[in-house]
Amino acid sequence: PWIYAPQPETLRMRWDKLLQAGTEQRRVLFVEKEDRSIDSTASPLPGFSPAARPIAAEQGPCPDPVMVSYRSFDRQWVIPDNRLMQRARTALWAVRSGRQVFISEDIQPVRNGPGLVFCCHVPDIDHFHGNEASAARPLYRDAAGASANITPGLLRYLSDRMGLAVSAEDFLAYVAGLVAHRGYSEKFAQHLTEPGVRIPLTAEANLWREGVEVGREILWLHTFGERCSDDGAGRPHGALALAELSGIRAHTPIVARQPGMPSSITPRKIEGSDDEINIIIGDGTVGPVKKEVWEYEVNGMHVIKHWFDSRRDSPIHKKNKKGLNAVSYGSWTPELTNELLAMLAVLNGCVQLEARQARLLNHVCEANLITDSELLQAQILPVPDFATKGLSPRKFATQALPGM
């Protein structure tokens, strides 16, 4: 859809072209669908101001684009205007905040890569690997972070069972530590033919602590340094600081002659190194990164190639390259270089943690586990119906969200 792009400049250009067109040409450029046309009215996204008129009569400036999680490890921009969106996932926009973490899960069997992916910006409906709709769940059921989206009573039960305080963030970190690596999908390959990630719950406090520790680093990586940052633990805040810490650099410009976009991306062996490579993108050399970074996949989606395919001179995986999708800023910017370095740093960090995560998963599975029968006896399971339903986004429709 044309309302997404890797560069906010592209979205502003598309908006301007749409508004410069007459009514009938607007219909063509807009690509009308059954539930959205230039004559449609729609409630605003939670936290954004309502529009005064349909797109057919719109003459105002482009709403400021906001960052979203477009695909796993691929952050892009969107025009936050519900008049343009077919499936806006308003419930997720309603709980968007500076504390929120979204959990992305494939609704198809997981063949390879991490079992779950995490992000802090609202995920697109095809976020997990681009080909099928993904399930997305927020850590908190509200924007304020006052209501954890975790089975009622579970955190208290875990705290009492292991004799330590367990917060919602701790629980999510434990899940990330055990599941967000390739070893998880390899170990449970026969079980993952049926969609749905299963989490082994340790009854051992020392294993719980280790899971939380490594999981916080995973959450920091997956969210590009925007969650679980801790300077004392070597996790500075933000994508730029994360990339700087990694040591990955752009040694030469990606595009030597501007304007322009790169047309190719390939790995290149570093002489004298058995486990690191550089990546050649356009005219530039970027690295070093672990060899496994180039190979990293999320359920069949090659992360680096997919990321690049949206930012090359002629994007190759757009479903429709006509109309507004054909409008592009067309020039590589320093911001794109920063995002490239951050994405590679995230994957590099994930690869470096995989051996530790695989060992931890094996230790958890071999030690004492909390069973379903125990949770049933404690009346933690079955999950009550009210806990499976999100809060209505309607009351957030015209109010700014906390932390925004």
Side-chain angles (χ1 to χ4, degrees), residues 223-259:
T223 62
F224 285 66
E226 294 190 32
R227 301 291 184 269
C228 293
S229 59
D230 183 344
D231 287 334
R235 300 193 299 269
H237 182 80
L240 290 177
L242 190 159
E244 179 69 23
L245 185 67
S246 74
I248 300 169
R249 301 287 184 266
H251 302 290
T252 51
I254 305 301
V255 177
R257 291 188 176 184
Q258 292 284 11

mmCIF file of all heavy atoms in Angstrom, residues 223-259:
data_model
loop_
_atom_site.group_PDB
_atom_site.id
_atom_site.type_symbol
_atom_site.label_atom_id
_atom_site.label_comp_id
_atom_site.label_asym_id
_atom_site.label_seq_id
_atom_site.Cartn_x
_atom_site.Cartn_y
_atom_site.Cartn_z
ATOM 1 N N THR A 223 13.777 -4.035 19.547
ATOM 2 C CA THR A 223 13.145 -2.713 19.524
ATOM 3 C C THR A 223 14.124 -1.603 19.153
ATOM 4 O O THR A 223 13.847 -0.427 19.370
ATOM 5 C CB THR A 223 12.492 -2.390 20.885
ATOM 6 O OG1 THR A 223 13.503 -2.364 21.898
ATOM 7 C CG2 THR A 223 11.434 -3.416 21.247
ATOM 8 N N PHE A 224 15.247 -1.974 18.597
ATOM 9 C CA PHE A 224 16.252 -1.007 18.129
ATOM 10 C C PHE A 224 16.666 -0.065 19.259
ATOM 11 O O PHE A 224 16.815 1.146 19.070
ATOM 12 C CB PHE A 224 15.714 -0.222 16.927
ATOM 13 C CG PHE A 224 15.686 -1.011 15.639
ATOM 14 C CD1 PHE A 224 14.849 -2.113 15.493
ATOM 15 C CD2 PHE A 224 16.491 -0.654 14.566
ATOM 16 C CE1 PHE A 224 14.813 -2.851 14.309
ATOM 17 C CE2 PHE A 224 16.462 -1.373 13.378
ATOM 18 C CZ PHE A 224 15.629 -2.481 13.257
ATOM 19 N N GLY A 225 16.838 -0.620 20.440
ATOM 20 C CA GLY A 225 17.347 0.144 21.560
ATOM 21 C C GLY A 225 16.332 1.024 22.260
ATOM 22 O O GLY A 225 16.698 1.798 23.150
ATOM 23 N N GLU A 226 15.048 0.892 21.914
ATOM 24 C CA GLU A 226 14.032 1.771 22.501
ATOM 25 C C GLU A 226 13.365 1.178 23.737
ATOM 26 O O GLU A 226 12.606 1.875 24.415
ATOM 27 C CB GLU A 226 12.992 2.140 21.442
ATOM 28 C CG GLU A 226 13.570 2.993 20.322
ATOM 29 C CD GLU A 226 12.516 3.567 19.402
ATOM 30 O OE1 GLU A 226 11.390 3.848 19.876
ATOM 31 O OE2 GLU A 226 12.800 3.731 18.205
ATOM 32 N N ARG A 227 13.584 -0.077 24.031
ATOM 33 C CA ARG A 227 13.057 -0.686 25.240
ATOM 34 C C ARG A 227 14.195 -1.451 25.932
ATOM 35 O O ARG A 227 15.132 -1.910 25.276
ATOM 36 C CB ARG A 227 11.897 -1.652 24.940
ATOM 37 C CG ARG A 227 10.715 -1.011 24.243
ATOM 38 C CD ARG A 227 9.967 -0.036 25.132
ATOM 39 N NE ARG A 227 8.780 0.476 24.440
ATOM 40 C CZ ARG A 227 8.758 1.570 23.700
ATOM 41 N NH1 ARG A 227 9.868 2.294 23.547
ATOM 42 N NH2 ARG A 227 7.638 1.972 23.124
ATOM 43 N N CYS A 228 14.092 -1.593 27.247
ATOM 44 C CA CYS A 228 15.078 -2.336 28.047
ATOM 45 C C CYS A 228 16.484 -1.759 27.946
ATOM 46 O O CYS A 228 17.474 -2.480 28.098
ATOM 47 C CB CYS A 228 15.090 -3.820 27.658
ATOM 48 S SG CYS A 228 13.583 -4.700 28.079
ATOM 49 N N SER A 229 16.577 -0.472 27.677
ATOM 50 C CA SER A 229 17.912 0.136 27.665
ATOM 51 C C SER A 229 18.422 0.253 29.099
ATOM 52 O O SER A 229 17.655 0.448 30.040
ATOM 53 C CB SER A 229 17.876 1.510 26.987
ATOM 54 O OG SER A 229 16.982 2.373 27.640
ATOM 55 N N ASP A 230 19.713 0.116 29.260
ATOM 56 C CA ASP A 230 20.342 0.164 30.584
ATOM 57 C C ASP A 230 21.832 0.420 30.364
ATOM 58 O O ASP A 230 22.569 -0.490 29.991
ATOM 59 C CB ASP A 230 20.113 -1.151 31.325
ATOM 60 C CG ASP A 230 20.682 -1.156 32.738
ATOM 61 O OD1 ASP A 230 21.514 -0.282 33.056
ATOM 62 O OD2 ASP A 230 20.310 -2.055 33.519
ATOM 63 N N ASP A 231 22.262 1.650 30.582
ATOM 64 C CA ASP A 231 23.668 1.985 30.341
ATOM 65 C C ASP A 231 24.605 1.125 31.178
ATOM 66 O O ASP A 231 25.683 0.730 30.723
ATOM 67 C CB ASP A 231 23.904 3.465 30.648
ATOM 68 C CG ASP A 231 23.305 4.383 29.593
ATOM 69 O OD1 ASP A 231 23.165 3.940 28.443
ATOM 70 O OD2 ASP A 231 22.958 5.536 29.933
ATOM 71 N N GLY A 232 24.164 0.818 32.408
ATOM 72 C CA GLY A 232 25.007 0.012 33.285
ATOM 73 C C GLY A 232 25.206 -1.404 32.790
ATOM 74 O O GLY A 232 26.206 -2.054 33.106
ATOM 75 N N ALA A 233 24.243 -1.898 31.996
ATOM 76 C CA ALA A 233 24.338 -3.246 31.432
ATOM 77 C C ALA A 233 24.852 -3.235 30.004
ATOM 78 O O ALA A 233 24.827 -4.272 29.324
ATOM 79 C CB ALA A 233 22.966 -3.922 31.486
ATOM 80 N N GLY A 234 25.304 -2.069 29.529
ATOM 81 C CA GLY A 234 25.834 -1.990 28.169
ATOM 82 C C GLY A 234 24.772 -1.916 27.107
ATOM 83 O O GLY A 234 25.024 -2.292 25.951
ATOM 84 N N ARG A 235 23.575 -1.395 27.470
ATOM 85 C CA ARG A 235 22.490 -1.283 26.504
ATOM 86 C C ARG A 235 22.047 0.180 26.418
ATOM 87 O O ARG A 235 21.054 0.576 27.039
ATOM 88 C CB ARG A 235 21.311 -2.175 26.902
ATOM 89 C CG ARG A 235 21.639 -3.658 26.993
ATOM 90 C CD ARG A 235 20.376 -4.510 27.079
ATOM 91 N NE ARG A 235 19.572 -4.213 28.252
ATOM 92 C CZ ARG A 235 19.689 -4.820 29.434
ATOM 93 N NH1 ARG A 235 20.594 -5.770 29.606
ATOM 94 N NH2 ARG A 235 18.896 -4.489 30.449
ATOM 95 N N PRO A 236 22.752 1.005 25.666
ATOM 96 C CA PRO A 236 22.369 2.414 25.545
ATOM 97 C C PRO A 236 21.047 2.573 24.810
ATOM 98 O O PRO A 236 20.615 1.682 24.072
ATOM 99 C CB PRO A 236 23.527 3.025 24.758
ATOM 100 C CG PRO A 236 24.084 1.887 23.966
ATOM 101 C CD PRO A 236 23.929 0.673 24.853
ATOM 102 N N HIS A 237 20.421 3.717 25.017
ATOM 103 C CA HIS A 237 19.094 3.935 24.439
ATOM 104 C C HIS A 237 19.187 4.403 22.990
ATOM 105 O O HIS A 237 19.978 5.279 22.645
ATOM 106 C CB HIS A 237 18.331 4.988 25.251
ATOM 107 C CG HIS A 237 16.943 5.222 24.739
ATOM 108 N ND1 HIS A 237 15.884 4.383 25.028
ATOM 109 C CD2 HIS A 237 16.438 6.195 23.932
ATOM 110 C CE1 HIS A 237 14.801 4.833 24.438
ATOM 111 N NE2 HIS A 237 15.104 5.931 23.765
ATOM 112 N N GLY A 238 18.341 3.810 22.152
ATOM 113 C CA GLY A 238 18.161 4.282 20.789
ATOM 114 C C GLY A 238 18.966 3.540 19.747
ATOM 115 O O GLY A 238 19.992 2.929 20.024
ATOM 116 N N ALA A 239 18.469 3.640 18.508
ATOM 117 C CA ALA A 239 19.075 2.909 17.396
ATOM 118 C C ALA A 239 20.479 3.404 17.073
ATOM 119 O O ALA A 239 21.372 2.614 16.756
ATOM 120 C CB ALA A 239 18.175 3.018 16.161
ATOM 121 N N LEU A 240 20.699 4.721 17.137
ATOM 122 C CA LEU A 240 22.022 5.249 16.805
ATOM 123 C C LEU A 240 23.078 4.766 17.786
ATOM 124 O O LEU A 240 24.172 4.375 17.391
ATOM 125 C CB LEU A 240 21.974 6.775 16.781
ATOM 126 C CG LEU A 240 21.198 7.415 15.628
ATOM 127 C CD1 LEU A 240 21.178 8.932 15.786
ATOM 128 C CD2 LEU A 240 21.793 7.029 14.281
ATOM 129 N N ALA A 241 22.718 4.772 19.077
ATOM 130 C CA ALA A 241 23.671 4.314 20.088
ATOM 131 C C ALA A 241 23.917 2.821 19.967
ATOM 132 O O ALA A 241 25.052 2.355 20.139
ATOM 133 C CB ALA A 241 23.143 4.650 21.482
ATOM 134 N N LEU A 242 22.875 2.063 19.647
ATOM 135 C CA LEU A 242 23.026 0.619 19.469
ATOM 136 C C LEU A 242 23.976 0.331 18.305
ATOM 137 O O LEU A 242 24.876 -0.506 18.406
ATOM 138 C CB LEU A 242 21.653 -0.001 19.218
ATOM 139 C CG LEU A 242 21.498 -1.517 19.220
ATOM 140 C CD1 LEU A 242 20.037 -1.898 19.462
ATOM 141 C CD2 LEU A 242 21.964 -2.157 17.929
ATOM 142 N N ALA A 243 23.760 1.035 17.188
ATOM 143 C CA ALA A 243 24.614 0.828 16.015
ATOM 144 C C ALA A 243 26.051 1.235 16.306
ATOM 145 O O ALA A 243 27.004 0.547 15.908
ATOM 146 C CB ALA A 243 24.068 1.614 14.831
ATOM 147 N N GLU A 244 26.232 2.338 17.002
ATOM 148 C CA GLU A 244 27.579 2.812 17.334
ATOM 149 C C GLU A 244 28.307 1.792 18.193
ATOM 150 O O GLU A 244 29.500 1.508 17.981
ATOM 151 C CB GLU A 244 27.482 4.151 18.061
ATOM 152 C CG GLU A 244 28.813 4.743 18.475
ATOM 153 C CD GLU A 244 29.664 5.202 17.308
ATOM 154 O OE1 GLU A 244 29.105 5.480 16.227
ATOM 155 O OE2 GLU A 244 30.902 5.279 17.477
ATOM 156 N N LEU A 245 27.602 1.214 19.154
ATOM 157 C CA LEU A 245 28.206 0.244 20.054
ATOM 158 C C LEU A 245 28.644 -1.016 19.320
ATOM 159 O O LEU A 245 29.621 -1.667 19.705
ATOM 160 C CB LEU A 245 27.202 -0.119 21.154
ATOM 161 C CG LEU A 245 27.689 -1.048 22.268
ATOM 162 C CD1 LEU A 245 28.745 -0.358 23.116
ATOM 163 C CD2 LEU A 245 26.510 -1.480 23.142
ATOM 164 N N SER A 246 27.952 -1.360 18.242
ATOM 165 C CA SER A 246 28.228 -2.615 17.529
ATOM 166 C C SER A 246 29.558 -2.618 16.794
ATOM 167 O O SER A 246 30.107 -3.684 16.494
ATOM 168 C CB SER A 246 27.106 -2.892 16.521
ATOM 169 O OG SER A 246 27.211 -2.015 15.401
ATOM 170 N N GLY A 247 30.048 -1.449 16.447
ATOM 171 C CA GLY A 247 31.279 -1.382 15.674
ATOM 172 C C GLY A 247 31.078 -1.559 14.177
ATOM 173 O O GLY A 247 32.042 -1.536 13.408
ATOM 174 N N ILE A 248 29.843 -1.740 13.727
ATOM 175 C CA ILE A 248 29.547 -1.865 12.299
ATOM 176 C C ILE A 248 29.558 -0.468 11.679
ATOM 177 O O ILE A 248 28.927 0.458 12.198
ATOM 178 C CB ILE A 248 28.182 -2.549 12.087
ATOM 179 C CG1 ILE A 248 28.203 -3.949 12.703
ATOM 180 C CG2 ILE A 248 27.831 -2.621 10.602
ATOM 181 C CD1 ILE A 248 26.826 -4.593 12.785
ATOM 182 N N ARG A 249 30.253 -0.307 10.571
ATOM 183 C CA ARG A 249 30.407 1.010 9.966
ATOM 184 C C ARG A 249 30.159 0.952 8.457
ATOM 185 O O ARG A 249 30.371 -0.085 7.815
ATOM 186 C CB ARG A 249 31.825 1.557 10.203
ATOM 187 C CG ARG A 249 32.214 1.690 11.672
ATOM 188 C CD ARG A 249 31.494 2.846 12.345
ATOM 189 N NE ARG A 249 31.936 3.017 13.725
ATOM 190 C CZ ARG A 249 31.331 2.469 14.777
ATOM 191 N NH1 ARG A 249 30.265 1.692 14.605
ATOM 192 N NH2 ARG A 249 31.788 2.688 16.005
ATOM 193 N N ALA A 250 29.747 2.095 7.916
ATOM 194 C CA ALA A 250 29.707 2.273 6.458
ATOM 195 C C ALA A 250 31.054 2.867 6.055
ATOM 196 O O ALA A 250 31.343 4.033 6.340
ATOM 197 C CB ALA A 250 28.563 3.189 6.059
ATOM 198 N N HIS A 251 31.890 2.070 5.421
ATOM 199 C CA HIS A 251 33.262 2.483 5.131
ATOM 200 C C HIS A 251 33.350 3.388 3.901
ATOM 201 O O HIS A 251 34.302 4.169 3.775
ATOM 202 C CB HIS A 251 34.144 1.247 4.946
ATOM 203 C CG HIS A 251 34.147 0.344 6.139
ATOM 204 N ND1 HIS A 251 34.749 0.680 7.331
ATOM 205 C CD2 HIS A 251 33.602 -0.894 6.336
ATOM 206 C CE1 HIS A 251 34.581 -0.300 8.212
ATOM 207 N NE2 HIS A 251 33.880 -1.261 7.628
ATOM 208 N N THR A 252 32.375 3.266 3.011
ATOM 209 C CA THR A 252 32.307 4.127 1.829
ATOM 210 C C THR A 252 30.847 4.475 1.590
ATOM 211 O O THR A 252 29.940 3.754 2.037
ATOM 212 C CB THR A 252 32.877 3.427 0.580
ATOM 213 O OG1 THR A 252 32.256 2.130 0.440
ATOM 214 C CG2 THR A 252 34.382 3.228 0.690
ATOM 215 N N PRO A 253 30.541 5.575 0.879
ATOM 216 C CA PRO A 253 29.145 5.980 0.653
ATOM 217 C C PRO A 253 28.347 4.904 -0.082
ATOM 218 O O PRO A 253 28.858 4.251 -0.997
ATOM 219 C CB PRO A 253 29.283 7.247 -0.190
ATOM 220 C CG PRO A 253 30.652 7.771 0.120
ATOM 221 C CD PRO A 253 31.500 6.554 0.337
ATOM 222 N N ILE A 254 27.104 4.763 0.308
ATOM 223 C CA ILE A 254 26.234 3.769 -0.332
ATOM 224 C C ILE A 254 25.961 4.149 -1.780
ATOM 225 O O ILE A 254 25.925 3.299 -2.675
ATOM 226 C CB ILE A 254 24.906 3.642 0.447
ATOM 227 C CG1 ILE A 254 25.174 3.324 1.927
ATOM 228 C CG2 ILE A 254 24.010 2.592 -0.185
ATOM 229 C CD1 ILE A 254 25.943 2.067 2.174
ATOM 230 N N VAL A 255 25.745 5.425 -2.018
ATOM 231 C CA VAL A 255 25.536 5.944 -3.377
ATOM 232 C C VAL A 255 26.588 7.024 -3.618
ATOM 233 O O VAL A 255 26.566 8.076 -2.968
ATOM 234 C CB VAL A 255 24.113 6.507 -3.561
ATOM 235 C CG1 VAL A 255 23.958 7.113 -4.954
ATOM 236 C CG2 VAL A 255 23.071 5.406 -3.352
ATOM 237 N N ALA A 256 27.505 6.762 -4.541
ATOM 238 C CA ALA A 256 28.622 7.691 -4.759
ATOM 239 C C ALA A 256 28.170 8.976 -5.422
ATOM 240 O O ALA A 256 28.681 10.057 -5.120
ATOM 241 C CB ALA A 256 29.695 7.001 -5.610
ATOM 242 N N ARG A 257 27.196 8.875 -6.328
ATOM 243 C CA ARG A 257 26.702 10.059 -7.035
ATOM 244 C C ARG A 257 25.211 10.213 -6.770
ATOM 245 O O ARG A 257 24.401 9.384 -7.174
ATOM 246 C CB ARG A 257 26.954 9.930 -8.536
ATOM 247 C CG ARG A 257 28.415 10.011 -8.926
ATOM 248 C CD ARG A 257 28.554 10.072 -10.448
ATOM 249 N NE ARG A 257 29.940 10.252 -10.852
ATOM 250 C CZ ARG A 257 30.333 10.407 -12.112
ATOM 251 N NH1 ARG A 257 29.422 10.379 -13.082
ATOM 252 N NH2 ARG A 257 31.606 10.576 -12.408
ATOM 253 N N GLN A 258 24.868 11.304 -6.089
ATOM 254 C CA GLN A 258 23.470 11.576 -5.783
ATOM 255 C C GLN A 258 22.865 12.460 -6.885
ATOM 256 O O GLN A 258 23.581 13.213 -7.542
ATOM 257 C CB GLN A 258 23.364 12.293 -4.429
ATOM 258 C CG GLN A 258 23.746 11.430 -3.255
ATOM 259 C CD GLN A 258 22.665 10.421 -2.892
ATOM 260 O OE1 GLN A 258 21.700 10.210 -3.643
ATOM 261 N NE2 GLN A 258 22.831 9.780 -1.760
ATOM 262 N N PRO A 259 21.535 12.390 -7.093
ATOM 263 C CA PRO A 259 20.600 11.503 -6.393
ATOM 264 C C PRO A 259 20.637 10.102 -6.961
ATOM 265 O O PRO A 259 21.078 9.897 -8.091
ATOM 266 C CB PRO A 259 19.247 12.175 -6.655
ATOM 267 C CG PRO A 259 19.420 12.811 -7.994
ATOM 268 C CD PRO A 259 20.845 13.279 -8.047
#
